[in-house]
Amino acid sequence: MNTLTKNALKNVYIETLGCQMNKSDTERILGILSHFGYQKSEEEKADLVIVNTCSIRKLSEDKAYSKLGVWGKMKESNPNLRIGICGCVAQQEKENLLKKFSYIDLVFGTHNIYELPELIKDLEKENPDGIKNRICAIRDIATPEKEFDIIRSKGINAWLPIMEGCNNFCTYCIVPYTRGRERSRDIETILNEAKKIIKEGYKEITLLGQNVDSYGKNLPDDPKYGKPTFAKLLAELDKLDGNFRIRFTTSYPTDITDEVVETVKNAKKICECFHIPMQSGNDRILKTMNRRYNRAQYSEIVNKIRKEIKDVTITSDFIAGFPSETEDEFKDTISAIKELNLDYSNTASYSPRPITPAGKMTDKFIDKNEKKRRLAILNDTVKEASKKSNINSIGKTYEVLVEKIKEDDEKNENKRIVEGRSRNNKVVHFESQTAQIGDFINVQIKEALTWCLKGEEIK
């Protein structure tokens, strides 16, 4: 516990960009800093500001640099302000950040969050010459996990990392370079953290990993559980006491085993939802991306899951304008979304990333206006698919976990409108006078919109 008095506490603000893993990392960083005299605060009141970065696309990287620029201006009027950067951009750029931004004090990467106590101590060290330390601490190998509190975001959902890193080396993706190779946490550590989450009152646990289906591959046999696998981990989590749900993301198509599908099918707490990025519907582009499957194999996996699991939702990711993609190859992506009846997909135009093989295919880059046109078509297709999926829900009854409440919703005749999610991850709106955040409510679906459903509470 923090032994400093309340008056001695310092304020920290963290701007988090990017994926759920970054959000989870921020919660861990806040927990670690709380042991060393820091409390979470608003940006304007902070003694230490940190941007937790994402480098999956150039836009995310630019957002980080923009935020650093704002803080640099703040530091001109407050020289004691300490500025830090962590996450994937930090891991990628290393000491170049100290050279590029004279006002940055601390750079640390994705591999050494648990080294923060030593880094903060060095950062705050008073030198005889009065010059403040500037630190760049980037590790190629992850430092061991340590036991610290986790300051989680308020709400009903808690992030629970089960593994980190990726071994796939898709040609467009920088994750293996910024997050490193796959490494899993042991089952007992995950179960203990899950028990704490449940005890703290969270109603939903989302398991995180760049490729959750690879969980356990780098771990030795466990004396209690045998060879750790994702299916075994899911089964053990499903046994835990409490009224809560389990979700997971992200799945790599060819790593989804029959055992995982069977476990989700038979579980009580695991939600019927798979996020399975396809990226392209064309075989040549998939091969150029270094994805280890073709369209037929992806279709077989999706169809198998739909056959085994009732009311399952399958979502995906797609890239428009990958280097050398022709118009006909792009149309294969559009047809795949329709043929596979994908419920929803994240989309993006191709963004060159440093280091990656695709980023060096400069002679094959697609014109930015053409990428923009294709992305618009892709987005329209996703909208149509989402609406079609939602229409199929009309008449069904879903258990909805309440997330938000509008006491007097002007758009709905000032009624008390509740928003939540079904087990298969559909956003549902319904009227209720009694429902509270965190409640599980049965709702019959009456209407389908593009991005959500409307229904009536079953009493």
Side-chain angles (χ1 to χ4, degrees):
M1 295 295 294
N2 185 1
T3 58
L4 297 183
T5 64
K6 185 175 181 180
N7 291 334
L9 287 174
K10 296 180 180 180
N11 294 324
V12 59
Y13 171 82
I14 302 180
E15 181 86 7
T16 307
L17 306 174
C19 67
Q20 298 99 324
M21 189 68 79
N22 275 17
K23 294 174 183 177
S24 176
D25 285 347
T26 289
E27 293 176 343
R28 280 163 164 71
I29 291 169
L30 287 170
I32 292 169
L33 291 175
S34 72
H35 284 256
F36 299 93
Y38 285 87
Q39 61 182 356
K40 184 178 177 181
S41 78
E42 297 175 1
E43 186 174 355
E44 296 77 13
K45 298 178 181 178
D47 302 291
L48 170 64
V49 289
I50 300 172
V51 58
N52 189 354
T53 60
C54 171
S55 61
I56 200 76
R57 289 189 288 274
K58 188 176 186 301
L59 179 61
S60 299
E61 193 172 332
D62 290 342
K63 284 182 180 179
Y65 293 150
S66 177
K67 178 55 69 174
L68 288 173
V70 171
W71 291 344
K73 293 291 185 183
M74 290 171 56
K75 195 168 185 174
E76 291 177 3
S77 57
N78 179 16
N80 291 323
L81 178 66
R82 298 295 178 91
I83 300 175
I85 179 171
C86 65
C88 291
V89 173
Q91 189 72 32
Q92 171 189 313
E93 295 298 322
K94 303 178 175 64
E95 63 275 357
N96 290 334
L97 292 166
L98 292 182
K99 297 175 183 177
K100 187 174 181 179
F101 301 99
S102 60
Y103 42 80
I104 289 182
D105 301 289
L106 175 63
V107 179
F108 63 101
T110 58
H111 292 356
N112 60 329
I113 286 175
Y114 292 98
E115 195 181 355
L116 258 181
E118 291 80 13
L119 300 180
I120 292 297
K121 183 179 179 181
D122 289 342
L123 187 68
E124 296 180 342
K125 184 179 178 181
E126 294 186 7
N127 297 315
D129 56 9
I131 297 176
K132 295 180 179 179
N133 289 331
R134 301 181 73 214
I135 299 169
C136 178
I138 303 294
R139 302 285 177 263
D140 292 328
I141 299 176
T143 54
E145 183 175 340
K146 297 178 183 177
E147 185 70 28
F148 283 107
D149 291 335
I150 300 170
I151 299 181
R152 301 186 187 278
S153 298
K154 294 181 179 179
I156 60 169
N157 179 269
W159 311 113
L160 176 48
I162 64 170
M163 63 176 298
E164 188 174 358
C166 185
N167 294 349
N168 290 321
F169 286 91
C170 301
T171 58
Y172 56 82
C173 186
I174 201 166
V175 167
Y177 307 97
T178 57
R179 289 282 177 180
R181 302 300 83 76
E182 291 174 352
R183 52 197 185 278
S184 304
R185 307 171 76 195
D186 65 74
I187 290 181
E188 203 65 42
T189 297
I190 295 169
L191 291 176
N192 288 336
E193 185 170 335
K195 290 174 185 177
K196 290 180 182 178
I197 290 170
I198 298 163
K199 189 176 181 180
E200 290 170 8
Y202 290 91
K203 298 296 184 179
E204 196 168 86
I205 299 173
T206 302
L207 309 179
L208 299 179
Q210 272 74 33
N211 179 12
V212 291
D213 295 276
S214 284
Y215 172 79
K217 288 183 178 179
N218 71 308
L219 294 177
D221 286 1
D222 188 286
K224 184 175 180 181
Y225 304 103
K227 177 59 182 175
T229 66
F230 186 47
K232 284 183 182 178
L233 175 63
L234 287 175
E236 291 301 323
L237 286 165
D238 192 59
K239 295 176 186 177
L240 297 179
D241 293 333
N243 189 18
F244 66 95
R245 292 175 174 177
I246 300 168
R247 299 190 185 277
F248 55 86
T249 190
T250 297
S251 294
Y252 191 90
T254 51
D255 288 335
I256 301 172
T257 64
D258 290 345
E259 189 180 6
V260 167
V261 176
E262 191 70 15
T263 301
V264 175
K265 176 183 177 181
N266 297 324
K268 295 180 179 179
K269 298 181 172 74
I270 303 170
C271 293
E272 297 80 9
C273 184
F274 285 75
H275 183 64
I276 315 172
M278 187 181 192
Q279 304 301 0
S280 173
N282 177 267
D283 286 352
R284 187 189 74 83
I285 293 296
L286 287 171
K287 187 174 182 180
T288 307
M289 289 177 166
N290 195 34
R291 301 291 284 181
R292 304 190 316 272
Y293 54 87
N294 55 33
R295 179 170 175 148
Q297 289 171 312
Y298 185 95
S299 299
E300 182 182 354
I301 293 160
V302 167
N303 291 333
K304 176 177 64 178
I305 293 172
R306 290 202 188 281
K307 180 181 177 181
E308 293 295 324
I309 303 175
K310 181 183 177 182
D311 282 332
V312 68
T313 290
I314 297 178
T315 59
S316 193
D317 294 344
F318 288 96
I319 297 172
F322 185 79
S324 80
E325 180 188 65
T326 67
E327 181 69 14
D328 286 342
E329 289 170 338
F330 169 69
K331 288 179 180 178
D332 285 342
T333 290
I334 301 302
S335 66
I337 294 172
K338 295 177 180 179
E339 290 173 12
L340 293 168
N341 292 313
L342 296 173
D343 297 278
Y344 173 79
S345 298
N346 298 315
T347 64
S349 60
Y350 172 71
S351 178
R353 297 287 70 214
I355 307 173
T356 63
K360 299 173 184 176
M361 300 177 185
T362 53
D363 60 324
K364 299 177 182 178
F365 281 1
I366 307 296
D367 176 76
K368 67 177 183 179
N369 290 327
E370 176 61 18
K371 287 195 295 184
K372 185 177 180 181
R373 183 189 71 85
R374 292 183 189 180
L375 180 60
I377 295 171
L378 183 57
N379 286 337
D380 286 342
T381 305
V382 169
K383 286 181 182 179
E384 293 172 7
S386 179
K387 181 67 177 288
K388 180 181 177 182
S389 171
N390 284 345
I391 288 173
N392 291 334
S393 296
I394 294 176
K396 295 179 180 180
T397 298
Y398 289 148
E399 178 196 74
V400 176
L401 174 55
V402 177
E403 296 179 351
K404 301 176 184 177
I405 297 172
K406 290 186 178 180
E407 294 292 345
D408 298 294
D409 192 342
E410 295 180 1
K411 295 181 180 179
N412 290 279
E413 302 175 349
N414 294 322
K415 295 177 181 178
R416 187 176 189 267
I417 301 299
V418 174
E419 177 182 321
R421 289 182 185 268
S422 62
R423 286 175 60 97
N424 62 354
N425 211 32
K426 299 284 188 181
V427 176
V428 181
H429 294 174
F430 62 97
E431 181 184 3
S432 176
Q433 298 303 315
T434 58
Q436 300 297 321
I437 291 175
D439 286 351
F440 293 92
I441 307 290
N442 288 326
V443 179
Q444 187 175 46
I445 305 305
K446 299 291 186 179
E447 183 181 353
L449 303 179
T450 301
W451 307 121
C452 69
L453 303 169
K454 290 187 176 182
E456 292 181 0
E457 179 180 7
I458 297 177
K459 298 180 180 179

